[in-house]
Amino acid sequence: MKVTGLQENEIEDSKVEHNSDISQEALTMKENTEEYEFVLNREYTPTERYPLSISRLKKIIKWSSSRYNERRKTDVIKDILKNISQGKDGYWEYETGLYTEKSKLTSTKYRLVIRNKKIKILVNYDQVVEFY
């Protein structure tokens, strides 16, 4: 699949920094779990459809830049693109929180679901974005 705004060799060359504290456990497919089967096998009706591009991913993913957040937005986008480029069915979950002294902790979960070459990103199950 061609990703607008990214050269083919950039996907393979872009590696997540080892010091970014992105745990393999958090970013790898959640195989053999009930949630994995539920998310992967469910049909999600897209609320939006877009061609796959880095700029579109950046607009969809709202990532907290809080110092308490262990991951960076660029690392998450690189990981999403890497998983998409592999072309395998699967489910990956990414979570960010909003950490401020005056507000309560709020979090957003992004789920990348690839099934039958259809790519969807679920935002808290409220928004379903399909890429083509």
Side-chain angles (χ1 to χ4, degrees):
M1 169 165 292
K2 183 171 173 42
V3 181
T4 308
L6 186 70
Q7 295 179 0
E8 196 169 314
N9 62 348
E10 259 185 286
I11 294 173
E12 293 175 14
D13 294 341
S14 63
K15 295 180 181 173
V16 176
E17 292 180 18
H18 295 296
N19 296 332
S20 66
D21 202 22
I22 296 180
S23 68
Q24 287 296 325
E25 183 180 332
L27 292 180
T28 54
M29 273 193 316
K30 298 180 183 248
E31 296 179 336
N32 301 321
T33 66
E34 290 179 24
E35 184 180 7
Y36 173 82
E37 292 298 324
F38 173 77
V39 172
L40 187 62
N41 293 321
R42 187 170 170 212
E43 287 296 325
Y44 296 96
T45 305
T47 55
E48 304 168 48
R49 293 188 76 232
Y50 301 106
L52 182 60
S53 70
I54 291 174
S55 61
R56 182 55 64 183
L57 281 173
K58 287 180 180 179
K59 288 178 184 176
I60 292 168
I61 297 175
K62 310 289 187 228
W63 203 260
S64 170
S65 60
S66 168
R67 65 181 174 175
Y68 300 109
N69 203 345
E70 297 174 343
R71 303 175 193 146
R72 294 184 337 197
K73 182 176 181 174
T74 55
D75 293 334
V76 170
I77 290 174
K78 285 179 184 178
D79 193 71
I80 289 172
L81 291 171
K82 180 187 69 140
N83 290 327
I84 290 171
S85 70
Q86 290 174 351
K88 296 179 183 176
D89 285 3
Y91 157 64
W92 297 265
E93 188 173 275
Y94 309 88
E95 186 171 7
T96 184
L98 176 61
Y99 308 96
T100 61
E101 293 177 10
K102 294 183 181 181
S103 71
K104 296 178 181 176
L105 172 66
T106 59
S107 66
T108 304
K109 281 190 180 182
Y110 298 92
R111 294 166 179 90
L112 170 64
V113 178
I114 303 174
R115 185 167 160 231
N116 299 329
K117 299 188 180 190
K118 290 186 179 181
I119 302 163
K120 296 178 182 171
I121 292 185
L122 289 66
V123 183
N124 286 340
Y125 291 112
D126 298 331
Q127 177 185 13
V128 179
V129 180
E130 183 175 21
F131 292 101
Y132 55 89

